[in-house]
Amino acid sequence: MSGRKIERIVGWFGLCLLPLLAQAQVAIHGRVSLNGEALPGVRVDLRLEADSQMLAYTFSDEHGNYRLQHKQTGNLTLQFRALGFEPLNLRIVPTTAGTLVDAQMQPGGVQQLQEVIVHAKQPYRNGRDTIELDVNSFLQGDERNVEDLLRKIPGINVGTDGSIKIGNKEVEKVMVEGDDFFEKGYRLLTQNMSVQPLEKIQVLQRYSNNKQLKGIENSDKVALNLQLKDDSKSEWLGSVGLQSSAVDLKYYQASASLMNFGKRNKYYLLASANNNGYDAVSSINHLVQSGSANEPGQIGVDVSTPTLIDNTPNLPHFDYRRTNFNDDKLLSLNSILNPTSALKIKWLGFANPTKKSFYRNMMQEYTLDDIPFTITENYEFTRKIDNYFTKVELQYEPSPLSVLSYTGTLGSLNNNELGSLLFNNIASLETTQKNSYLTNHNLTYSYKLSEREALVSSVRFINQQSPIDYSINQYYYEDLFGANAVSDVQQHIENSLLYLGAISHYVSRQKNGNFFELAFRSAYQQQHLNSQLRLLPDPNAAQQEVVYPPEFANEMTLSLLQTHLVSKYTVKRRRWEITPRLQAGTVHSSLANFEQQKRKIDLQLSPGVSAKWTIHRKGRIEADLFFQQQNATLPDLIPNYYTTGVRNFVKGMDSFVNLSSSGGSLLYTYGTMSDRFFANVHIGHQVMFDYIGTESDLNPNFNLVQQRLLNNKIATYYKGELNYYLKPLQGNMRLDVGMTMLDYETLLTGLGRRQIRSATYDYGLSFRSSWKSHVNLYTGYRLQSNSYRTAGNSNTLTNHQAFLNLFLNLGGDLQCSLQNESYRFGALPQQKAQTYYFSDFSVFYELKKYRTRFCLTAKNIFNTRSFKNVMLTDISRNTTEYRLFPRYVSFGVDYNF
């Protein structure tokens, strides 16, 4: 091991242990007596003199002796209390590891207690469908927004993208005082709203988005509701923050928010700008595509134009902010108005001009029998994004039994991408322009027929245009199109969608708890995709003729008329319930490409059955069996090739297919998130009798991919999460395990069919302390293993990740945190594993009187400028090197009002 690596490791561990070594244990002991006689049972409290904060307590033993230990130094107070004696307070300043303090008590004080009423404040409070969390019980001092707080609550899982799950269910929405702004785009709220005005967080189980279905719908959805302190309600609140690198002002982050959550009207305004890697809008798709697909009365929620060219970098299990060279700006204005008790108006609007840069060096090694070769790409990518989006929601209640709702969205989502590419040592420029327009309208009428019956009907209309222009100023395809004098390769794609759907949904809950659901839906969908690849001649060539390869052009229209009947019936008893279901319908398909037209009518049947069983007070089992049929999507049917980037050309099957599969799953849940032990284990198995695979024709400069209909793909998975609160350590221990195994086929030109077995294993162990002291930590370790097996060949890749985050309250208003990460990538044969270390250090000073906090932050202390990640596929091994933000120190200030 080199001296530089040893120095880094020693420095990393030194920084990790510094807060712990800086504070030695202080021991305070002595004897409590009355006129020389020992007094047992006297309570001894150790407190800070400044604010009387409790540090530790004990009771004197049968000999009158007591002993306390703590890490706090400075001016302290010892308080002695006992029934029948006068309270005694002694001011002390411990200066040695062992400080002797004897106490002489005097008779007096309260002689007898008439009545004692104890009010215990618990962090959790359980209701029938609600778990209420006390915010102060989880605050440790370093939380800047709601998401930081949620990460510290056992049982709530916050992903790297900001998604929130409770158990295996993602929350539907995050509300404030019962009203929702962003539905599943809640990251815009949780990543920007301060925790200061919060008093409680409610976890709403069996949640219904439609108020007319409350108590009727058989729901297993989960939502969060943020409750504010009394002095924060109906008041204008806000914050202003500014942070910048201290030396050259190169990196900055600025934000401002203003909010008012009254009983009738609510306002939330947000503005932010940064170039330090933070993603201002990480959930735009959830804002554009609103609604919940599994909710009664919903239709067309997941309908949109397909994404045909996507240059978004993939960073598995790595903090994207370290390599996201950006210049983000966001302005978001949102309001909820209640002009009358029967009318609610919600308006959301945002503008998000953004610039992102990305740097990547990649090497792909193909070792397939007689065609081994290597591909190299050095890529510098810049994307300019201009997103403008608005949404209006009207909710009118003409009577207590009916609700009429309208939701309309209008968006302009534009991307202009420029890539500087060195492909196989040949330089080129790659450009992609996407100018997308979207309008989406949904009208819903809900009528409560009785206390146990309701009818919900909806109509949705969608019009989306997503044209794409792609070009590259280098000709890599001589082996494909011939040795022509070509200067540029261009492709234009017209990609549009027109959708009209309607549904009527009847739900009924009987007195014995049985539940019946019947829905009829019909939808018409028309999609156009026109693509044309053009080979532009070199200006110096003798023949100035644009070449249009006929096999790389499409002019297709896909029309679908789908009609389905959906029924469910739940038989519910005290400890178990069972729900058979059936979806039956027809799909009329029409595919036209140039002069050719194909038509087909499919009958689709998708039966299933699910069951729930409460096996004991805290244990529940949920099981599901299904068989389903579905039609292929537009990208699966594209008749001729289109390019998805510099190297890949893809085409569909040019024929209608009806895909069928069956499977089952089993979920066991023990306890709830408010219990000391909370766990869930999920197991599943699925057989895809028909699935869409690929046939690849590999070449060092291009890859022709044709989609094929294949049979019998098998998927098996399990996932487990165990949370246990360790009382001796006063912290939550969490264990995560997971496995996904796939058996499937692929085709390679020249090699035929290849049987593939892939397996992914994930193991993670973490501990988060909840110490009522000046030190807290969050530490963990994760291991991921990927493997691919084919006939006579096997590859396995193992990655490791470890982290140790320390938070230290230095007393008063001074705090600091140290975040440490280590990654070990790429344990492949004949390749050395790469290990990387990252540390970020922050110091906070808070002026509570003025609601202001100052921050000094050092990012990437070890100045790691790049890292290499290794990934496996069934045909290649890919090594990718990413450029990272350098080390820098920034100074910031936040003001809350």
Side-chain angles (χ1 to χ4, degrees), residues 545-732:
E545 180 182 359
V546 179
V547 178
Y548 300 91
E551 293 185 359
F552 292 77
N554 295 281
E555 190 175 303
M556 65 173 292
T557 299
L558 175 64
S559 300
L560 299 174
L561 177 60
Q562 304 178 72
T563 303
H564 287 92
L565 186 70
V566 182
S567 64
K568 296 180 183 179
Y569 187 76
T570 300
V571 178
K572 188 176 179 62
R573 294 298 180 262
R574 181 172 174 269
R575 299 185 62 178
W576 59 268
E577 64 179 64
I578 186 169
T579 305
R581 63 184 184 273
L582 175 65
Q583 176 178 298
T586 60
V587 179
H588 296 252
S589 306
S590 173
L591 177 63
N593 187 50
F594 294 107
E595 301 299 327
Q596 299 180 354
Q597 189 165 6
K598 300 177 181 180
R599 299 181 184 274
K600 188 180 180 183
I601 300 177
D602 288 314
L603 175 64
Q604 294 182 344
L605 295 174
S606 298
V609 60
S610 61
K612 298 180 181 180
W613 180 29
T614 303
I615 55 178
H616 53 79
R617 186 173 64 89
K618 292 189 176 183
R620 301 176 302 281
I621 291 179
E622 299 179 28
D624 185 71
L625 296 173
F626 66 88
F627 174 84
Q628 65 180 14
Q629 292 181 309
Q630 59 187 18
N631 48 292
T633 61
L634 180 137
D636 303 323
L637 305 176
I638 298 177
N640 293 319
Y641 287 104
Y642 64 96
T643 182
T644 62
V646 63
R647 187 170 178 269
N648 293 317
F649 297 89
V650 182
K651 67 177 294 186
M653 297 178 295
D654 192 21
S655 61
F656 295 110
V657 293
N658 196 21
L659 306 176
S660 59
S661 65
S662 68
S665 64
L666 186 68
L667 172 66
Y668 174 73
T669 303
Y670 182 89
T672 66
M673 59 179 296
S674 61
D675 291 326
R676 182 181 176 187
F677 179 64
F678 169 55
N680 62 77
V681 179
H682 197 191
I683 303 172
H685 182 78
Q686 184 177 3
V687 179
M688 285 156 271
F689 303 111
D690 312 292
Y691 71 98
I692 298 175
T694 60
E695 180 180 0
S696 300
D697 185 358
L698 296 175
N699 185 283
N701 288 334
F702 61 84
N703 181 19
L704 296 179
V705 179
Q706 184 171 356
Q707 293 174 310
R708 298 287 191 185
L709 183 64
L710 302 176
N711 305 112
N712 298 327
K713 180 177 182 179
I714 301 175
T716 304
Y717 67 89
Y718 69 79
K719 183 179 180 181
E721 175 196 339
L722 291 82
N723 291 271
Y724 186 70
Y725 183 80
L726 296 170
K727 284 187 176 180
L729 298 180
Q730 296 184 19
N732 188 73

Side-chain angles (χ1 to χ4, degrees), residues 133-333:
L133 312 175
D134 179 65
V135 168
N136 287 332
S137 299
F138 301 96
L139 291 175
Q140 293 180 341
D142 60 337
E143 302 84 7
R144 299 192 65 178
N145 52 46
V146 175
E147 183 179 290
D148 292 339
L149 172 64
L150 296 176
R151 290 183 185 277
K152 297 183 178 181
I153 300 177
I156 297 182
N157 305 323
V158 182
T160 55
D161 61 347
S163 60
I164 304 172
K165 288 186 177 181
I166 298 178
N168 65 328
K169 296 183 177 66
E170 183 177 356
V171 302
E172 292 291 307
K173 57 181 64 174
V174 178
M175 299 177 286
V176 180
E177 292 293 325
D179 275 320
D180 164 54
F181 278 106
F182 307 111
E183 297 185 13
K184 283 197 174 180
Y186 49 73
R187 299 160 183 78
L188 201 62
L189 177 73
T190 56
Q191 293 178 348
N192 292 283
M193 183 177 177
S194 171
V195 298
Q196 290 196 5
L198 296 186
E199 183 178 26
K200 296 177 182 178
I201 297 176
Q202 292 179 325
V203 180
L204 308 178
Q205 303 173 102
R206 290 181 282 275
Y207 178 76
S208 294
N209 285 303
N210 190 330
K211 63 180 297 184
Q212 297 297 341
L213 301 180
K214 187 175 182 180
I216 302 177
E217 180 185 3
N218 197 21
S219 170
D220 60 354
K221 295 188 286 288
V222 181
L224 298 181
N225 181 44
L226 309 180
Q227 289 192 326
L228 307 180
K229 301 173 183 176
D230 290 338
D231 58 358
S232 298
K233 298 177 182 179
S234 301
E235 298 289 339
W236 284 101
L237 309 170
S239 63
V240 178
L242 178 63
Q243 187 169 349
S244 176
S245 52
V247 178
D248 53 6
L249 306 180
K250 185 176 181 180
Y251 302 109
Y252 75 95
Q253 180 174 346
S255 64
S257 64
L258 184 64
M259 61 195 78
N260 186 306
F261 302 109
K263 290 185 177 180
R264 296 188 59 181
N265 301 326
K266 294 178 174 62
Y267 305 91
Y268 183 70
L269 294 82
L270 175 67
S272 69
N274 80 91
N275 67 350
N276 63 352
Y278 178 74
D279 193 351
V281 181
S282 60
S283 55
I284 184 173
N285 291 331
H286 293 293
L287 296 172
V288 174
Q289 302 290 339
S290 60
S292 180
N294 60 347
E295 181 181 340
Q298 288 289 333
I299 190 170
V301 172
D302 300 323
V303 175
S304 65
T305 55
T307 301
L308 301 175
I309 299 179
D310 188 3
N311 293 320
T312 303
N314 182 22
L315 297 172
H317 312 304
F318 187 77
D319 188 350
Y320 73 93
R321 288 170 294 187
R322 296 194 183 276
T323 188
N324 181 33
F325 293 84
N326 68 321
D327 188 4
D328 275 18
K329 297 178 177 62
L330 169 69
L331 178 63
S332 179
L333 309 175

Side-chain angles (χ1 to χ4, degrees), residues 401-455:
L401 299 179
S402 60
V403 176
L404 181 65
S405 300
Y406 163 78
T407 302
T409 60
L410 181 65
S412 174
L413 312 175
N414 302 320
N415 292 344
N416 293 318
E417 302 171 356
L418 175 64
S420 177
L421 174 65
L422 187 65
F423 179 68
N424 288 341
N425 296 318
I426 301 176
S428 62
L429 288 178
E430 185 183 30
T431 63
T432 307
Q433 294 182 341
K434 304 176 184 178
N435 299 303
S436 181
Y437 164 82
L438 168 69
T439 179
N440 190 327
H441 305 272
N442 186 68
L443 184 66
T444 301
Y445 179 70
S446 305
Y447 184 71
K448 200 168 186 176
L449 301 171
S450 68
E451 287 299 318
R452 302 183 181 275
E453 297 176 290
L455 183 67

